[in-house]
Amino acid sequence: MTNPSTAETRIGTERELDPSWWRQAAVYQIYPRSFADSDGDGIGDIRGITSRIPYLERLGVQAVWLSPFYPSALADGGYDVDDYRDVDPRLGTLEDFDAMVEALHRAGIRVIVDIVPNHTSHRHEWFREALASPKGSVARARYIFRDGLGHDGELPPSDWTSTFGGPAWEPVGDGQWYFHFFAKEQPDLNWNNPEVHADFLTTLRFWSDRGVDGFRIDVAHGLAKRLPDELPTQAELDALPKDGDHPLWDRDDVHGIYAEWRAVFNEYTPAKTAVAEAWVAADRRARYASAEGLGQAFNFDLLEADFEAGRFREIIAFNVELARQSGSSSTWVLSNHDVIRHATRYGLPPRGMSTTKAGADWLLSGGTSPVLDAAAGLRRARAASLLELALPGSAYLYQGEELGLHEVPDIPGASRQDPTFFRNPGVDIGRDGCRVPLPWTATGPSYGFGPGGAHLPQPGWFAASSVGAEDGDPGSTLTLYRTALALRTRLQGAETLKWLPSERDDVLAFERPGGWMSITNFGTMPLALPEGELLLSSVPLEGGLLPGEATAWLQR
Ligand code: NOJ
């Protein structure tokens, strides 16, 4: 089936060379191992993705972003890469990848792949060589090795803790230790080493030559490091400002790396795109998004906010202005593979300014405490998603959110995979709950994910949220996303927004060029809508009014 909205953007038409296709794209994140399994091994694969291209086309997205599909021990869901220029044999081959890219392009869908430059896997040939080589060797200089303290180096070089919990230094048995921001299976690369620079340029060209359209850069704010001879303590490190000269995070010199990458991106026509995953202060995001750098950066502000009008307004106004100043376009994210799904977040008690950890207690309790209001969560999620899709800039959608999927809280410990679960016993349950394989059908083995089961257990309630159950249901979240994405493609104009006045402070209303209006009622009192033709609403109007916790789109 062809979606008329994507037919317009079909690659192969005059739009093929449009260098700004990414500026207002709806990008769908595929977590390959949990998307669709073609061969029955319980792990999603490349052919599985290819088989679902009609679904993506019908959904109406302009691009997909694939989380890592490279050979990996899966110590961190594939963000521990053994080989940057190959496909995990469990997921397919390079030929399968090429066929997938070609088929996606035929469907008018661009392809973004994930690059993980901060660390390799401990199984990467460079790290194996480093372990087999002596202290001071060329092989060790590709990573961050330090002598341990104590008589024989038996103590770590510092008390630093890893982002995933536990120590950040791991001993290698000869008095030396290596540094890892994340799991110990993810040794950090030394970006002061020209060989590391050169190798990533080769990787970027490798995938660019295979036809990918852009890159998502993992931990983009962490690559450049400047470790002093005398290491500060963790407490001292935490107290240092992140103003561009912090030893580990968001250093100004990281942008030198991205200037080199930009030169490679610009070797292609149209230039390859990139989006930075940089968890930095909002006012430091612009440099990652600059035209001399990666070009775009994730804005996680909405993902960290409660469902609340004032906060949404502040975030939107700030980021639209930031994009205008930087020359990039805004990005919007409500869910991804690292956080609790937004349908669930919005059904839990509000958490104040930062909700990335919202629900940590709920997850720890196996989903029993506090009590989740699943229906309210979904209702608010539908309203927020519709609002997001009306904003200027790119919307990054995470697989399953178009089904209104909730987080799966009750995965038994024995089935869990996320290293953050293992490194923080009793404190952090990890991110597996948003990575459970997608339900494609209401019945059948693994709800249609694949013929051989699913690598994480799927709950019974997946049936009602499956593609099969929602397809053709005019009230389903899938139908809402399909309709919204088609309208968005048709209505999207210049990257501007004009706020519309409202007498209520729990209402957020704005207009896009061409008279496309989005009105969100964050409160519970029904709302009279302005004059205009109703295009779509996240719940049906009642007596001509927009009910509470709902969004409507109108055409003036
Ligand atoms: C960010 C990724 O999104 C996350 O899934 C991963 O665990 C870390 N980076 C480390 O690569």
Side-chain angles (χ1 to χ4, degrees):
M1 183 178 307
T2 302
N3 180 348
S5 63
T6 53
E8 288 169 21
T9 57
R10 191 168 292 281
I11 295 167
T13 67
E14 68 277 7
R15 296 221 181 170
E16 185 179 6
L17 297 179
D18 177 6
S20 55
W21 66 266
W22 52 275
R23 296 191 67 95
Q24 301 207 70
V27 184
Y28 183 86
Q29 181 189 355
I30 292 180
Y31 194 73
R33 290 177 174 80
S34 301
F35 186 66
D37 176 23
S38 72
D39 60 10
D41 65 356
I43 301 175
D45 48 38
I46 302 286
R47 286 180 180 220
I49 297 172
T50 308
S51 74
R52 297 295 180 182
I53 291 175
Y55 173 79
L56 298 168
E57 204 177 355
R58 174 91 177 78
L59 184 58
V61 293
Q62 282 77 50
V64 290
W65 146 33
L66 268 53
S67 278
F69 49 80
Y70 316 108
S72 167
L74 299 186
D76 181 21
Y79 283 90
D80 47 320
V81 180
D82 294 353
D83 179 351
Y84 290 87
R85 301 193 279 269
D86 205 352
V87 173
D88 187 329
R90 285 167 293 186
L91 271 67
T93 62
L94 280 169
E95 288 68 39
D96 293 336
F97 180 86
D98 293 343
M100 176 196 70
V101 171
E102 209 194 308
L104 280 163
H105 282 171
R106 269 203 309 274
I109 299 172
R110 264 118 173 158
V111 183
I112 295 172
V113 300
D114 216 312
I115 295 292
V116 189
N118 179 69
H119 44 268
T120 69
S121 152
H122 67 312
R123 304 198 314 183
H124 189 282
E125 63 168 347
W126 273 2
F127 196 68
R128 291 176 198 258
E129 196 186 331
L131 290 186
S133 305
K135 177 180 162 175
S137 58
V138 168
R140 288 208 177 174
R142 298 182 186 121
Y143 292 90
I144 303 176
F145 279 87
R146 275 288 171 110
D147 290 334
L149 304 178
H151 190 60
D152 291 317
E154 71 281 8
L155 298 172
S158 70
D159 66 345
W160 294 356
T161 51
S162 130
T163 312
F164 278 179
W169 294 100
E170 189 65 19
V172 296
D174 60 4
Q176 283 221 305
W177 300 61
Y178 68 87
F179 175 75
H180 56 94
F181 266 149
F182 299 98
K184 68 178 191 317
E185 295 85 355
Q186 295 166 293
D188 279 41
L189 283 164
N190 171 15
W191 275 91
N192 297 313
N193 184 332
E195 214 188 326
V196 173
H197 286 241
D199 195 68
F200 274 88
L201 298 184
T202 305
T203 294
L204 295 174
R205 287 198 179 94
F206 179 85
W207 295 109
S208 297
D209 291 345
R210 295 198 100 90
V212 312
D213 303 282
F215 300 93
R216 178 263 187 192
I217 312 304
D218 191 61
V219 206
H221 57 314
L223 276 53
K225 299 182 184 75
R226 190 76 53 196
L227 270 57
D229 290 340
E230 186 106 356
L231 297 179
T233 64
Q234 182 68 50
E236 286 163 350
L237 197 62
D238 291 343
L240 292 173
K242 296 210 179 90
D243 59 357
D245 198 28
H246 190 276
L248 301 180
W249 292 112
D250 190 22
R251 291 183 57 79
D252 286 338
D253 45 8
V254 80
H255 298 290
I257 299 171
Y258 302 133
E260 287 176 3
W261 292 17
R262 174 48 57 189
V264 173
F265 301 153
N266 289 351
E267 288 167 8
Y268 298 84
T269 308
K272 303 301 176 190
T273 68
V275 57
E277 187 222 17
W279 292 85
V280 297
D283 60 345
R284 293 190 55 85
R285 206 181 289 140
R287 277 190 78 184
Y288 293 88
S290 77
E292 298 75 44
L294 295 174
Q296 206 181 37
F298 283 134
N299 148 30
F300 294 122
D301 298 352
L302 279 187
L303 172 153
E304 296 199 294
D306 289 322
F307 183 77
E308 197 262 310
R311 188 69 192 120
F312 265 59
R313 185 187 176 111
E314 235 170 69
I315 289 170
I316 293 166
F318 177 84
N319 282 286
V320 168
E321 177 54 21
L322 196 68
R324 199 187 60 77
Q325 285 173 16
S326 76
S328 184
S329 63
S330 307
T331 59
W332 309 104
V333 189
L334 293 172
S335 281
N336 64 29
H337 65 295
D338 288 333
V339 298
I340 298 178
R341 287 184 176 277
H342 64 286
T344 302
R345 289 202 313 272
Y346 295 149
L348 292 168
R351 288 296 172 116
M353 289 295 278
S354 171
T355 56
T356 27
K357 295 283 178 219
D361 298 344
W362 178 78
L363 280 177
L364 275 174
S365 74
T368 56
S369 165
V371 174
L372 169 72
D373 187 338
L378 178 56
R379 181 184 179 93
R380 293 169 192 151
R382 289 167 57 108
S385 297
L386 214 51
L387 184 162
E388 175 196 35
L389 290 173
L391 291 170
S394 313
Y396 284 84
L397 312 175
Y398 177 52
Q399 67 178 41
E401 70 167 80
E402 78 280 16
L403 303 173
L405 273 193
H406 273 284
E407 188 83 3
V408 181
D410 47 358
I411 300 170
S415 302
R416 290 204 172 261
Q417 300 173 11
D418 186 7
T420 61
F421 169 72
F422 300 104
R423 293 182 68 91
N424 300 281
V427 177
D428 191 343
I429 207 80
R431 301 162 293 179
D432 294 311
C434 62
R435 300 173 177 181
V436 176
L438 283 194
W440 292 93
T441 54
T443 54
S446 69
Y447 300 104
F449 167 68
H455 67 92
L456 281 167
Q458 300 159 301
W461 51 262
F462 260 32
S465 297
S466 63
V467 176
E470 295 197 17
D471 191 22
D473 171 357
S476 73
T477 304
L478 180 57
T479 301
L480 181 74
Y481 269 70
R482 283 174 174 167
T483 315
L485 285 163
L487 280 168
R488 177 182 199 271
T489 308
R490 181 156 69 74
L491 298 173
Q492 196 74 272
E495 291 166 36
T496 55
L497 147 168
K498 190 176 89 197
W499 293 107
L500 299 174
S502 169
E503 282 162 14
R504 284 173 44 180
D505 57 10
D506 57 0
V507 169
L508 220 61
F510 57 87
E511 183 173 335
R512 299 289 311 280
W516 170 25
M517 295 181 282
S518 173
I519 297 109
T520 303
N521 180 0
F522 283 84
T524 47
M525 291 273 293
L527 177 76
L529 291 169
E531 283 289 297
E533 176 204 348
L534 179 71
L535 299 171
L536 181 65
S537 56
S538 63
V539 295
L541 301 196
E542 287 170 14
L545 300 176
L546 182 65
E549 305 187 322
T551 296
W553 286 1
L554 275 80
Q555 180 67 47
R556 190 182 284 286

